[in-house]
Amino acid sequence: MATNILSTANPFLLPSSSSSPSSSPSLSSATLTHVHHHIKCSVKRQLTLCKAVNQTALPTLTKRDLSISFFTSFVLSLAGKGCLDANAAILEADDDLELLEKVKKDRKKRLEKQGVISSSTKETGYLQDVVYKLSEVGQAIENNDLSTAGSVFGRGKDTDWVQKANIALNKLSSSPEEKSEADTFSSSIASLISSVSQKDVESSKLAFVSSASAFEKWTSLTGLVAQLKGL
């Protein structure tokens, strides 16, 4: 083991001249001076290199440099915020205009609808008769008295009040939703008449609920619900 340690030792630590096996190895003054000088130069070169790297990687910033950088960032942030505020204001103005246009259109439609309803007193009377007739049919079906319900319909779908009801619904329906409910009422009342004529209590009840619901929805859409009694 001792042989291995000695064989890997730094050569400049060994004396230059051979020594006898019986004498202890010693270092001369010149050798010590050389080693000391070598270590000192090595340390000095490392310190110089570290200083150069630090000076290159981390430039010195003065207070004036920091102030200019902060002021520039602040101005840019204000400019960006101003652009965002301006864009937001434009979008908000567009939304307001669209909302105003929609309100105007809706108001115009309501006024037109009110004008049509006001000039359609005859059709309004037809619809008021529907409310009364449906009330009679509903009471009769609730009592399982389909004979009385059948007498209200008279000639079935050709009875006078049923035909007038369909005429009024078609005339006063303007929007797709109103027309859809008018069609639902027409088909439901036809099913109700058929069920009553066949003495089918359960089917009559279902058809009556469908007819009454469609009529009520239609009057709500058209604004006639407030003008008809019994709803």
Side-chain angles (χ1 to χ4, degrees):
M1 179 178 290
T3 305
N4 292 335
I5 293 176
L6 290 176
S7 64
T8 57
N10 197 323
F12 65 75
L13 293 178
L14 297 177
S16 58
S17 60
S18 300
S19 58
S20 61
S22 60
S23 62
S24 300
S26 62
L27 297 177
S28 65
S29 176
T31 300
L32 291 174
T33 302
H34 176 73
V35 170
H36 178 73
H37 178 72
H38 177 78
I39 294 174
K40 182 176 181 181
C41 291
S42 178
V43 173
K44 184 176 181 180
R45 284 197 301 271
Q46 291 179 3
L47 292 175
T48 302
L49 179 61
C50 291
K51 182 177 181 181
V53 171
N54 290 335
Q55 289 179 349
T56 302
L58 298 174
T60 303
L61 294 177
T62 63
K63 292 183 178 180
R64 182 174 179 274
D65 294 333
L66 292 175
S67 299
I68 292 175
S69 177
F70 175 76
F71 179 75
T72 302
S73 300
F74 180 70
V75 171
L76 290 176
S77 66
L78 288 180
K81 185 177 184 300
C83 292
L84 291 176
D85 291 342
N87 291 334
I90 293 174
L91 293 174
E92 185 176 355
D94 292 340
D95 292 339
D96 290 342
L97 290 175
E98 291 180 1
L99 180 60
L100 182 60
E101 289 297 324
K102 185 177 184 301
V103 171
K104 288 181 178 179
K105 290 180 180 179
D106 292 342
R107 184 172 181 275
K108 182 179 179 181
K109 289 181 180 180
R110 287 197 305 271
L111 292 175
E112 291 176 351
K113 174 68 70 175
Q114 290 176 3
V116 172
I117 292 174
S118 298
S119 61
S120 303
T121 54
K122 182 173 62 175
E123 285 76 15
T124 303
Y126 294 162
L127 296 174
Q128 183 64 67
D129 194 30
V130 171
V131 176
Y132 295 146
K133 298 298 184 183
L134 284 179
S135 179
E136 292 179 27
V137 172
Q139 291 178 0
I141 293 175
E142 186 177 4
N143 296 327
N144 296 329
D145 186 1
L146 297 186
S147 297
T148 300
S151 65
V152 176
F153 287 118
R155 296 179 298 167
K157 62 181 181 180
D158 293 329
T159 193
D160 187 59
W161 70 268
V162 174
Q163 289 184 341
K164 289 180 179 179
N166 288 325
I167 292 173
L169 289 170
N170 291 328
K171 180 179 179 180
L172 299 179
S173 296
S174 56
S175 68
E177 293 82 4
E178 294 169 1
K179 292 178 181 179
S180 177
E181 293 300 332
D183 292 338
T184 300
F185 173 80
S186 179
S187 60
S188 297
I189 201 72
S191 296
L192 176 59
I193 293 171
S194 176
S195 297
V196 169
S197 64
Q198 296 175 10
K199 307 299 181 179
D200 189 337
V201 177
E202 294 301 324
S203 296
S204 298
K205 289 180 180 180
L206 293 175
F208 174 80
V209 171
S210 180
S211 301
S213 297
F215 185 77
E216 185 177 1
K217 289 179 181 178
W218 181 88
T219 56
S220 296
L221 290 171
T222 57
L224 278 165
V225 64
Q227 300 185 25
L228 300 177
K229 300 176 181 179
L231 288 177

